Amino acid sequence: MKNLTKRAFKTELFEEFARIGKALSSGRRLELIELLAQSERTVEELAAETGMSIANASQHLQVLRSARLVDVRRQGTYAWYRLSDEHVLRLWLSLREVGEMQLAEIERIVEDFFKDRKDMEATTCEDLLKHLKTGSVVVLDVRPEQEYSAGHIRGARSIPVNELEARLKEIPKKKTIVAYCRGPYCVLADEAVAILRAKGFNALRFKGGFPDWKARGLPVERAIPP
Amino acid sequence: MKNLTKRAFKTELFEEFARIGKALSSGRRLELIELLAQSERTVEELAAETGMSIANASQHLQVLRSARLVDVRRQGTYAWYRLSDEHVLRLWLSLREVGEMQLAEIERIVEDFFKDRKDMEATTCEDLLKHLKTGSVVVLDVRPEQEYSAGHIRGARSIPVNELEARLKEIPKKKTIVAYCRGPYCVLADEAVAILRAKGFNALRFKGGFPDWKARGLPVERAIPP
DNA sequence: CTGATATTCAAGTATGTGTTTGAATATGTG
DNA sequence: CACATATTCAAACACATACTTGAATATCAG
């Protein structure tokens, strides 16, 4: 009898944990998590950025919500979704790391898509932190401004990549420029570096993204309090 | 066209990561991971410990294997399964942490089962490390010996809980005894502490288990090299 | 109140997953 | 070689999940 209840306990307990696994078992939902790791967003925005129908995005968000990975805040007719806890970001980064380490397919897919990245040097967290301290580089956040406002690397300037060409004069020609965006699978920083180099700047891409930086407990800043 | 391939890239990439999520989406598979976090095991052992049929356990192990979360080593007619990387352990601990933080149901299930735990003090990693350094406690690994051999807290002694009553004379009466087992959902250390206290020892349970200790990079030892 | 908008709900269909059962492999033993 | 054992495979079933469509809510502006 004790064994029976022990089995029931374990089954029930692990089935609960599996709710989180189930929430992570869809590529679409992982994409939503990756976006929400940048800043909170409405259903409409999330649907548009992931190419899903709104009803489908809403449904996926509710799966995430029932696993308590995301929270909603309602304002007027909008529902603003966000990750419910910083542990959720760590969980996603941890999953991403396992994927990068173990699944050869991921490396192949990424290399296929970013054909030019191989010969584009990138900076690590440690490097960047060191350079930031000495003030020897300019760090550029090239994500949309909303995401910058929601949180960015301390000391970084916001120039969204689509405004970059028009705002080149704000950038000092003599310093090294380090551009960052959402993370390793985001093209924004690559585009920014390409533009900057074409104009004669000495530009580098930061390997990670803002969420990676934040999850390591490195210094961040935000325009609007949470 | 660029947008189309960008969408295809993201869909494909996140679908790959979702393979790992899918592997984590079953309570049964999480239970297998929890067991494999202790030491490598055969299909038979895993099936017996989780109460699954052998065919079913084998099938779940193959799901884990195709997501590269576990590896097999074949020896004779036995297949020894183990976690394929230390990152997998971290991923599981990260998922566990999110569950414990976010899912109220988990707390309820655990409290229901461990009714007596409330009034049983437990030691944290930090405490235990401090005590280990000063030698003021005896640390007891009460898991089956095989798991102890595969790796244990440095300085711990192995006395499997089912041998404990017979081996009480090996334990100094005057020191505090800290017992640990597989983790917070394992009963072995609770049982050991109950036995020890009944015999007049001053005994405590360590809150985590060996995997938690190891994942924090704290000092470990192993009898048999990997 | 009416109309517009953002989101959610509900139903339906196609597809995928978990488990059991019994057979098939593959390795080691006498 | 024949046999025992550990594991895997294949088929069949019940059940769950993803996506689409169209309707239902809910909030705000006029």
mmCIF file of all heavy atoms in Angstrom, chain A residues 42-44 54-55 58 62 74 77-79 81, chain C residues 4-12 17-19:
data_model
loop_
_atom_site.group_PDB
_atom_site.id
_atom_site.type_symbol
_atom_site.label_atom_id
_atom_site.label_comp_id
_atom_site.label_asym_id
_atom_site.label_seq_id
_atom_site.Cartn_x
_atom_site.Cartn_y
_atom_site.Cartn_z
ATOM 1 N N THR A 42 1.800 42.343 -27.293
ATOM 2 C CA THR A 42 0.391 41.976 -27.419
ATOM 3 C C THR A 42 0.265 40.739 -28.300
ATOM 4 O O THR A 42 1.198 40.367 -29.018
ATOM 5 C CB THR A 42 -0.416 43.111 -28.062
ATOM 6 O OG1 THR A 42 0.037 43.303 -29.408
ATOM 7 C CG2 THR A 42 -0.250 44.418 -27.295
ATOM 8 N N VAL A 43 -0.907 40.139 -28.268
ATOM 9 C CA VAL A 43 -1.180 38.958 -29.082
ATOM 10 C C VAL A 43 -0.975 39.281 -30.563
ATOM 11 O O VAL A 43 -0.363 38.511 -31.301
ATOM 12 C CB VAL A 43 -2.628 38.477 -28.857
ATOM 13 C CG1 VAL A 43 -2.923 37.245 -29.696
ATOM 14 C CG2 VAL A 43 -2.867 38.175 -27.393
ATOM 15 N N GLU A 44 -1.467 40.433 -30.938
ATOM 16 C CA GLU A 44 -1.377 40.862 -32.330
ATOM 17 C C GLU A 44 0.095 40.921 -32.786
ATOM 18 O O GLU A 44 0.460 40.375 -33.823
ATOM 19 C CB GLU A 44 -1.984 42.264 -32.410
ATOM 20 C CG GLU A 44 -2.523 42.628 -33.754
ATOM 21 C CD GLU A 44 -3.090 44.052 -33.726
ATOM 22 O OE1 GLU A 44 -2.745 44.839 -32.797
ATOM 23 O OE2 GLU A 44 -3.856 44.383 -34.637
ATOM 24 N N ILE A 54 -3.990 35.045 -35.524
ATOM 25 C CA ILE A 54 -4.167 35.581 -34.174
ATOM 26 C C ILE A 54 -4.799 34.549 -33.251
ATOM 27 O O ILE A 54 -4.366 34.372 -32.105
ATOM 28 C CB ILE A 54 -5.001 36.878 -34.229
ATOM 29 C CG1 ILE A 54 -4.139 37.982 -34.855
ATOM 30 C CG2 ILE A 54 -5.462 37.288 -32.845
ATOM 31 C CD1 ILE A 54 -4.775 39.330 -34.897
ATOM 32 N N ALA A 55 -5.793 33.836 -33.756
ATOM 33 C CA ALA A 55 -6.441 32.826 -32.915
ATOM 34 C C ALA A 55 -5.442 31.766 -32.476
ATOM 35 O O ALA A 55 -5.433 31.334 -31.317
ATOM 36 C CB ALA A 55 -7.597 32.181 -33.664
ATOM 37 N N SER A 58 -3.063 33.158 -29.869
ATOM 38 C CA SER A 58 -3.773 33.272 -28.595
ATOM 39 C C SER A 58 -3.848 31.905 -27.911
ATOM 40 O O SER A 58 -3.628 31.784 -26.702
ATOM 41 C CB SER A 58 -5.175 33.823 -28.841
ATOM 42 O OG SER A 58 -5.952 33.759 -27.674
ATOM 43 N N GLN A 62 -2.166 30.661 -24.386
ATOM 44 C CA GLN A 62 -2.901 30.106 -23.252
ATOM 45 C C GLN A 62 -2.311 28.797 -22.759
ATOM 46 O O GLN A 62 -2.386 28.494 -21.558
ATOM 47 C CB GLN A 62 -4.369 29.972 -23.616
ATOM 48 C CG GLN A 62 -5.069 31.273 -23.296
ATOM 49 C CD GLN A 62 -6.331 31.461 -24.081
ATOM 50 O OE1 GLN A 62 -7.351 30.928 -23.710
ATOM 51 N NE2 GLN A 62 -6.249 32.182 -25.182
ATOM 52 N N ARG A 74 -3.894 43.000 -18.750
ATOM 53 C CA ARG A 74 -4.866 43.531 -19.697
ATOM 54 C C ARG A 74 -4.976 45.040 -19.558
ATOM 55 O O ARG A 74 -5.091 45.566 -18.457
ATOM 56 C CB ARG A 74 -6.230 42.877 -19.503
ATOM 57 C CG ARG A 74 -6.266 41.521 -20.160
ATOM 58 C CD ARG A 74 -7.427 40.687 -19.759
ATOM 59 N NE ARG A 74 -7.061 39.284 -19.767
ATOM 60 C CZ ARG A 74 -7.015 38.531 -20.861
ATOM 61 N NH1 ARG A 74 -7.340 39.028 -22.027
ATOM 62 N NH2 ARG A 74 -6.639 37.271 -20.788
ATOM 63 N N THR A 77 -8.366 47.037 -24.639
ATOM 64 C CA THR A 77 -8.678 45.811 -25.364
ATOM 65 C C THR A 77 -7.424 44.982 -25.628
ATOM 66 O O THR A 77 -7.508 43.927 -26.224
ATOM 67 C CB THR A 77 -9.343 46.139 -26.716
ATOM 68 O OG1 THR A 77 -8.454 46.952 -27.468
ATOM 69 C CG2 THR A 77 -10.643 46.888 -26.508
ATOM 70 N N TYR A 78 -6.275 45.468 -25.181
ATOM 71 C CA TYR A 78 -5.033 44.734 -25.417
ATOM 72 C C TYR A 78 -4.700 43.795 -24.277
ATOM 73 O O TYR A 78 -4.970 44.095 -23.113
ATOM 74 C CB TYR A 78 -3.868 45.705 -25.615
ATOM 75 C CG TYR A 78 -3.978 46.522 -26.873
ATOM 76 C CD1 TYR A 78 -4.600 47.764 -26.864
ATOM 77 C CD2 TYR A 78 -3.478 46.032 -28.076
ATOM 78 C CE1 TYR A 78 -4.714 48.518 -28.017
ATOM 79 C CE2 TYR A 78 -3.589 46.779 -29.237
ATOM 80 C CZ TYR A 78 -4.209 48.020 -29.205
ATOM 81 O OH TYR A 78 -4.314 48.756 -30.358
ATOM 82 N N ALA A 79 -4.112 42.683 -24.629
ATOM 83 C CA ALA A 79 -3.567 41.760 -23.634
ATOM 84 C C ALA A 79 -2.057 41.749 -23.820
ATOM 85 O O ALA A 79 -1.568 41.334 -24.857
ATOM 86 C CB ALA A 79 -4.149 40.368 -23.830
ATOM 87 N N TYR A 81 1.361 40.210 -22.964
ATOM 88 C CA TYR A 81 1.959 38.978 -22.424
ATOM 89 C C TYR A 81 3.425 39.206 -22.110
ATOM 90 O O TYR A 81 4.114 39.954 -22.795
ATOM 91 C CB TYR A 81 1.824 37.837 -23.427
ATOM 92 C CG TYR A 81 0.453 37.198 -23.430
ATOM 93 C CD1 TYR A 81 -0.576 37.723 -24.203
ATOM 94 C CD2 TYR A 81 0.185 36.095 -22.640
ATOM 95 C CE1 TYR A 81 -1.837 37.140 -24.200
ATOM 96 C CE2 TYR A 81 -1.066 35.507 -22.628
ATOM 97 C CZ TYR A 81 -2.071 36.030 -23.405
ATOM 98 O OH TYR A 81 -3.313 35.456 -23.390
ATOM 99 P P DA C 4 -18.014 50.118 -38.232
ATOM 100 O OP1 DA C 4 -17.674 50.884 -39.455
ATOM 101 O OP2 DA C 4 -18.607 48.770 -38.343
ATOM 102 O "O5'" DA C 4 -16.712 50.028 -37.335
ATOM 103 C "C5'" DA C 4 -16.080 51.232 -36.870
ATOM 104 C "C4'" DA C 4 -14.885 50.852 -36.017
ATOM 105 O "O4'" DA C 4 -15.357 50.401 -34.726
ATOM 106 C "C3'" DA C 4 -14.060 49.699 -36.610
ATOM 107 O "O3'" DA C 4 -12.685 50.046 -36.538
ATOM 108 C "C2'" DA C 4 -14.386 48.502 -35.725
ATOM 109 C "C1'" DA C 4 -14.724 49.172 -34.395
ATOM 110 N N9 DA C 4 -15.664 48.405 -33.582
ATOM 111 C C8 DA C 4 -16.794 47.751 -33.997
ATOM 112 N N7 DA C 4 -17.436 47.141 -33.030
ATOM 113 C C5 DA C 4 -16.679 47.414 -31.898
ATOM 114 C C6 DA C 4 -16.817 47.050 -30.550
ATOM 115 N N6 DA C 4 -17.829 46.313 -30.091
ATOM 116 N N1 DA C 4 -15.876 47.483 -29.681
ATOM 117 C C2 DA C 4 -14.866 48.232 -30.149
ATOM 118 N N3 DA C 4 -14.629 48.633 -31.395
ATOM 119 C C4 DA C 4 -15.577 48.185 -32.230
ATOM 120 P P DT C 5 -11.562 49.041 -37.133
ATOM 121 O OP1 DT C 5 -10.520 49.844 -37.791
ATOM 122 O OP2 DT C 5 -12.260 47.944 -37.855
ATOM 123 O "O5'" DT C 5 -10.963 48.427 -35.800
ATOM 124 C "C5'" DT C 5 -10.599 49.272 -34.713
ATOM 125 C "C4'" DT C 5 -10.170 48.415 -33.551
ATOM 126 O "O4'" DT C 5 -11.337 47.883 -32.879
ATOM 127 C "C3'" DT C 5 -9.322 47.211 -33.962
ATOM 128 O "O3'" DT C 5 -8.143 47.193 -33.182
ATOM 129 C "C2'" DT C 5 -10.214 46.013 -33.683
ATOM 130 C "C1'" DT C 5 -11.092 46.534 -32.555
ATOM 131 N N1 DT C 5 -12.399 45.854 -32.428
ATOM 132 C C2 DT C 5 -12.844 45.535 -31.178
ATOM 133 O O2 DT C 5 -12.230 45.794 -30.160
ATOM 134 N N3 DT C 5 -14.062 44.906 -31.144
ATOM 135 C C4 DT C 5 -14.860 44.578 -32.226
ATOM 136 O O4 DT C 5 -15.933 44.012 -32.073
ATOM 137 C C5 DT C 5 -14.330 44.942 -33.518
ATOM 138 C C7 DT C 5 -15.103 44.621 -34.752
ATOM 139 C C6 DT C 5 -13.135 45.552 -33.556
ATOM 140 P P DA C 6 -7.013 46.086 -33.357
ATOM 141 O OP1 DA C 6 -5.695 46.725 -33.315
ATOM 142 O OP2 DA C 6 -7.388 45.201 -34.485
ATOM 143 O "O5'" DA C 6 -7.215 45.261 -32.008
ATOM 144 C "C5'" DA C 6 -6.893 45.861 -30.760
ATOM 145 C "C4'" DA C 6 -6.969 44.795 -29.693
ATOM 146 O "O4'" DA C 6 -8.334 44.348 -29.607
ATOM 147 C "C3'" DA C 6 -6.113 43.558 -29.998
ATOM 148 O "O3'" DA C 6 -5.408 43.184 -28.819
ATOM 149 C "C2'" DA C 6 -7.116 42.507 -30.441
ATOM 150 C "C1'" DA C 6 -8.407 42.945 -29.759
ATOM 151 N N9 DA C 6 -9.614 42.661 -30.546
ATOM 152 C C8 DA C 6 -9.806 42.824 -31.893
ATOM 153 N N7 DA C 6 -11.001 42.480 -32.310
ATOM 154 C C5 DA C 6 -11.642 42.050 -31.148
ATOM 155 C C6 DA C 6 -12.943 41.562 -30.908
ATOM 156 N N6 DA C 6 -13.861 41.392 -31.855
ATOM 157 N N1 DA C 6 -13.260 41.234 -29.639
ATOM 158 C C2 DA C 6 -12.339 41.412 -28.686
ATOM 159 N N3 DA C 6 -11.084 41.861 -28.780
ATOM 160 C C4 DA C 6 -10.806 42.169 -30.055
ATOM 161 P P DT C 7 -4.470 41.885 -28.801
ATOM 162 O OP1 DT C 7 -3.474 42.065 -27.726
ATOM 163 O OP2 DT C 7 -4.027 41.552 -30.167
ATOM 164 O "O5'" DT C 7 -5.509 40.791 -28.324
ATOM 165 C "C5'" DT C 7 -6.127 40.948 -27.059
ATOM 166 C "C4'" DT C 7 -7.224 39.934 -26.882
ATOM 167 O "O4'" DT C 7 -8.184 40.052 -27.948
ATOM 168 C "C3'" DT C 7 -6.776 38.478 -26.909
ATOM 169 O "O3'" DT C 7 -6.769 38.008 -25.575
ATOM 170 C "C2'" DT C 7 -7.794 37.775 -27.794
ATOM 171 C "C1'" DT C 7 -8.882 38.830 -27.971
ATOM 172 N N1 DT C 7 -9.635 38.739 -29.241
ATOM 173 C C2 DT C 7 -10.936 38.303 -29.206
ATOM 174 O O2 DT C 7 -11.505 37.980 -28.176
ATOM 175 N N3 DT C 7 -11.569 38.258 -30.422
ATOM 176 C C4 DT C 7 -11.029 38.601 -31.653
ATOM 177 O O4 DT C 7 -11.695 38.519 -32.680
ATOM 178 C C5 DT C 7 -9.655 39.052 -31.628
ATOM 179 C C7 DT C 7 -8.980 39.457 -32.893
ATOM 180 C C6 DT C 7 -9.034 39.098 -30.438
ATOM 181 P P DT C 8 -6.315 36.525 -25.219
ATOM 182 O OP1 DT C 8 -5.889 36.516 -23.814
ATOM 183 O OP2 DT C 8 -5.432 36.019 -26.269
ATOM 184 O "O5'" DT C 8 -7.709 35.739 -25.319
ATOM 185 C "C5'" DT C 8 -8.791 36.137 -24.487
ATOM 186 C "C4'" DT C 8 -10.033 35.371 -24.869
ATOM 187 O "O4'" DT C 8 -10.370 35.650 -26.239
ATOM 188 C "C3'" DT C 8 -9.910 33.854 -24.746
ATOM 189 O "O3'" DT C 8 -10.920 33.424 -23.851
ATOM 190 C "C2'" DT C 8 -10.134 33.348 -26.177
ATOM 191 C "C1'" DT C 8 -10.926 34.480 -26.793
ATOM 192 N N1 DT C 8 -10.831 34.630 -28.274
ATOM 193 C C2 DT C 8 -11.951 34.476 -29.034
ATOM 194 O O2 DT C 8 -13.040 34.192 -28.582
ATOM 195 N N3 DT C 8 -11.757 34.653 -30.389
ATOM 196 C C4 DT C 8 -10.573 34.989 -31.023
ATOM 197 O O4 DT C 8 -10.522 35.139 -32.249
ATOM 198 C C5 DT C 8 -9.434 35.148 -30.159
ATOM 199 C C7 DT C 8 -8.107 35.513 -30.741
ATOM 200 C C6 DT C 8 -9.609 34.965 -28.843
ATOM 201 P P DC C 9 -10.964 31.881 -23.356
ATOM 202 O OP1 DC C 9 -11.467 31.884 -21.966
ATOM 203 O OP2 DC C 9 -9.691 31.212 -23.687
ATOM 204 O "O5'" DC C 9 -12.118 31.289 -24.287
ATOM 205 C "C5'" DC C 9 -13.365 31.959 -24.316
ATOM 206 C "C4'" DC C 9 -14.282 31.294 -25.325
ATOM 207 O "O4'" DC C 9 -13.874 31.668 -26.659
ATOM 208 C "C3'" DC C 9 -14.310 29.769 -25.265
ATOM 209 O "O3'" DC C 9 -15.664 29.370 -25.208
ATOM 210 C "C2'" DC C 9 -13.628 29.350 -26.564
ATOM 211 C "C1'" DC C 9 -13.948 30.524 -27.486
ATOM 212 N N1 DC C 9 -13.007 30.772 -28.609
ATOM 213 C C2 DC C 9 -13.498 30.871 -29.914
ATOM 214 O O2 DC C 9 -14.714 30.714 -30.106
ATOM 215 N N3 DC C 9 -12.634 31.119 -30.920
ATOM 216 C C4 DC C 9 -11.343 31.292 -30.674
ATOM 217 N N4 DC C 9 -10.535 31.541 -31.705
ATOM 218 C C5 DC C 9 -10.820 31.202 -29.351
ATOM 219 C C6 DC C 9 -11.673 30.948 -28.358
ATOM 220 P P DA C 10 -16.029 27.843 -24.800
ATOM 221 O OP1 DA C 10 -17.072 27.927 -23.747
ATOM 222 O OP2 DA C 10 -14.778 27.097 -24.546
ATOM 223 O "O5'" DA C 10 -16.690 27.246 -26.120
ATOM 224 C "C5'" DA C 10 -17.195 28.101 -27.137
ATOM 225 C "C4'" DA C 10 -17.555 27.262 -28.343
ATOM 226 O "O4'" DA C 10 -16.637 27.562 -29.425
ATOM 227 C "C3'" DA C 10 -17.466 25.755 -28.129
ATOM 228 O "O3'" DA C 10 -18.503 25.152 -28.870
ATOM 229 C "C2'" DA C 10 -16.071 25.414 -28.638
ATOM 230 C "C1'" DA C 10 -15.935 26.397 -29.803
ATOM 231 N N9 DA C 10 -14.578 26.823 -30.116
ATOM 232 C C8 DA C 10 -13.511 26.940 -29.271
ATOM 233 N N7 DA C 10 -12.408 27.373 -29.858
ATOM 234 C C5 DA C 10 -12.790 27.551 -31.178
ATOM 235 C C6 DA C 10 -12.092 27.996 -32.308
ATOM 236 N N6 DA C 10 -10.800 28.361 -32.293
ATOM 237 N N1 DA C 10 -12.756 28.066 -33.478
ATOM 238 C C2 DA C 10 -14.044 27.709 -33.503
ATOM 239 N N3 DA C 10 -14.813 27.281 -32.500
ATOM 240 C C4 DA C 10 -14.110 27.221 -31.352
ATOM 241 P P DA C 11 -18.720 23.552 -28.849
ATOM 242 O OP1 DA C 11 -20.140 23.333 -28.507
ATOM 243 O OP2 DA C 11 -17.661 22.932 -28.034
ATOM 244 O "O5'" DA C 11 -18.508 23.154 -30.380
ATOM 245 C "C5'" DA C 11 -18.959 24.035 -31.404
ATOM 246 C "C4'" DA C 11 -18.470 23.550 -32.750
ATOM 247 O "O4'" DA C 11 -17.130 24.055 -32.998
ATOM 248 C "C3'" DA C 11 -18.376 22.032 -32.889
ATOM 249 O "O3'" DA C 11 -18.765 21.691 -34.204
ATOM 250 C "C2'" DA C 11 -16.901 21.747 -32.627
ATOM 251 C "C1'" DA C 11 -16.261 22.968 -33.267
ATOM 252 N N9 DA C 11 -14.943 23.351 -32.756
ATOM 253 C C8 DA C 11 -14.472 23.270 -31.475
ATOM 254 N N7 DA C 11 -13.241 23.728 -31.326
ATOM 255 C C5 DA C 11 -12.887 24.141 -32.600
ATOM 256 C C6 DA C 11 -11.711 24.717 -33.107
ATOM 257 N N6 DA C 11 -10.637 24.997 -32.369
ATOM 258 N N1 DA C 11 -11.683 25.013 -34.426
ATOM 259 C C2 DA C 11 -12.767 24.733 -35.159
ATOM 260 N N3 DA C 11 -13.927 24.192 -34.793
ATOM 261 C C4 DA C 11 -13.917 23.920 -33.483
ATOM 262 P P DG C 12 -18.900 20.162 -34.643
ATOM 263 O OP1 DG C 12 -20.175 20.041 -35.369
ATOM 264 O OP2 DG C 12 -18.602 19.287 -33.488
ATOM 265 O "O5'" DG C 12 -17.721 20.018 -35.693
ATOM 266 C "C5'" DG C 12 -17.594 20.954 -36.764
ATOM 267 C "C4'" DG C 12 -16.314 20.658 -37.513
ATOM 268 O "O4'" DG C 12 -15.195 21.194 -36.765
ATOM 269 C "C3'" DG C 12 -16.044 19.157 -37.696
ATOM 270 O "O3'" DG C 12 -15.673 18.913 -39.046
ATOM 271 C "C2'" DG C 12 -14.903 18.864 -36.737
ATOM 272 C "C1'" DG C 12 -14.180 20.208 -36.682
ATOM 273 N N9 DG C 12 -13.426 20.440 -35.452
ATOM 274 C C8 DG C 12 -13.787 20.125 -34.161
ATOM 275 N N7 DG C 12 -12.882 20.469 -33.274
ATOM 276 C C5 DG C 12 -11.866 21.040 -34.031
ATOM 277 C C6 DG C 12 -10.624 21.603 -33.633
ATOM 278 O O6 DG C 12 -10.164 21.700 -32.489
ATOM 279 N N1 DG C 12 -9.895 22.061 -34.724
ATOM 280 C C2 DG C 12 -10.310 22.007 -36.028
ATOM 281 N N2 DG C 12 -9.480 22.501 -36.937
ATOM 282 N N3 DG C 12 -11.469 21.490 -36.417
ATOM 283 C C4 DG C 12 -12.188 21.035 -35.371
ATOM 284 P P DT C 17 4.618 13.125 -32.162
ATOM 285 O OP1 DT C 17 5.602 14.091 -31.667
ATOM 286 O OP2 DT C 17 5.005 12.048 -33.090
ATOM 287 O "O5'" DT C 17 3.896 12.476 -30.897
ATOM 288 C "C5'" DT C 17 2.966 13.243 -30.129
ATOM 289 C "C4'" DT C 17 2.510 12.436 -28.943
ATOM 290 O "O4'" DT C 17 1.338 11.667 -29.297
ATOM 291 C "C3'" DT C 17 3.529 11.437 -28.409
ATOM 292 O "O3'" DT C 17 3.498 11.528 -26.986
ATOM 293 C "C2'" DT C 17 3.044 10.096 -28.951
ATOM 294 C "C1'" DT C 17 1.531 10.306 -28.983
ATOM 295 N N1 DT C 17 0.777 9.532 -30.009
ATOM 296 C C2 DT C 17 -0.388 8.908 -29.623
ATOM 297 O O2 DT C 17 -0.820 8.949 -28.489
ATOM 298 N N3 DT C 17 -1.037 8.236 -30.627
ATOM 299 C C4 DT C 17 -0.647 8.132 -31.956
ATOM 300 O O4 DT C 17 -1.317 7.501 -32.754
ATOM 301 C C5 DT C 17 0.576 8.813 -32.292
ATOM 302 C C7 DT C 17 1.088 8.774 -33.689
ATOM 303 C C6 DT C 17 1.224 9.475 -31.310
ATOM 304 P P DG C 18 4.237 10.572 -26.024
ATOM 305 O OP1 DG C 18 4.643 11.334 -24.819
ATOM 306 O OP2 DG C 18 5.235 9.844 -26.834
ATOM 307 O "O5'" DG C 18 3.088 9.562 -25.595
ATOM 308 C "C5'" DG C 18 2.183 9.930 -24.553
ATOM 309 C "C4'" DG C 18 1.516 8.689 -23.998
ATOM 310 O "O4'" DG C 18 0.848 8.001 -25.078
ATOM 311 C "C3'" DG C 18 2.468 7.674 -23.366
ATOM 312 O "O3'" DG C 18 1.849 7.192 -22.165
ATOM 313 C "C2'" DG C 18 2.627 6.587 -24.427
ATOM 314 C "C1'" DG C 18 1.314 6.669 -25.195
ATOM 315 N N9 DG C 18 1.400 6.411 -26.642
ATOM 316 C C8 DG C 18 2.370 6.843 -27.509
ATOM 317 N N7 DG C 18 2.144 6.482 -28.746
ATOM 318 C C5 DG C 18 0.951 5.777 -28.698
ATOM 319 C C6 DG C 18 0.203 5.140 -29.718
ATOM 320 O O6 DG C 18 0.464 5.079 -30.923
ATOM 321 N N1 DG C 18 -0.950 4.542 -29.221
ATOM 322 C C2 DG C 18 -1.336 4.564 -27.911
ATOM 323 N N2 DG C 18 -2.466 3.942 -27.623
ATOM 324 N N3 DG C 18 -0.649 5.141 -26.943
ATOM 325 C C4 DG C 18 0.476 5.727 -27.406
ATOM 326 P P DT C 19 2.613 6.203 -21.221
ATOM 327 O OP1 DT C 19 2.196 6.499 -19.835
ATOM 328 O OP2 DT C 19 4.045 6.215 -21.569
ATOM 329 O "O5'" DT C 19 2.008 4.792 -21.625
ATOM 330 C "C5'" DT C 19 0.610 4.578 -21.437
ATOM 331 C "C4'" DT C 19 0.194 3.290 -22.105
ATOM 332 O "O4'" DT C 19 0.314 3.445 -23.530
ATOM 333 C "C3'" DT C 19 1.050 2.080 -21.744
ATOM 334 O "O3'" DT C 19 0.316 1.259 -20.850
ATOM 335 C "C2'" DT C 19 1.312 1.380 -23.090
ATOM 336 C "C1'" DT C 19 0.473 2.158 -24.082
ATOM 337 N N1 DT C 19 1.083 2.325 -25.431
ATOM 338 C C2 DT C 19 0.436 1.788 -26.515
ATOM 339 O O2 DT C 19 -0.608 1.177 -26.428
ATOM 340 N N3 DT C 19 1.066 1.991 -27.712
ATOM 341 C C4 DT C 19 2.265 2.658 -27.920
ATOM 342 O O4 DT C 19 2.737 2.776 -29.045
ATOM 343 C C5 DT C 19 2.890 3.187 -26.741
ATOM 344 C C7 DT C 19 4.195 3.924 -26.856
ATOM 345 C C6 DT C 19 2.276 3.000 -25.563
#
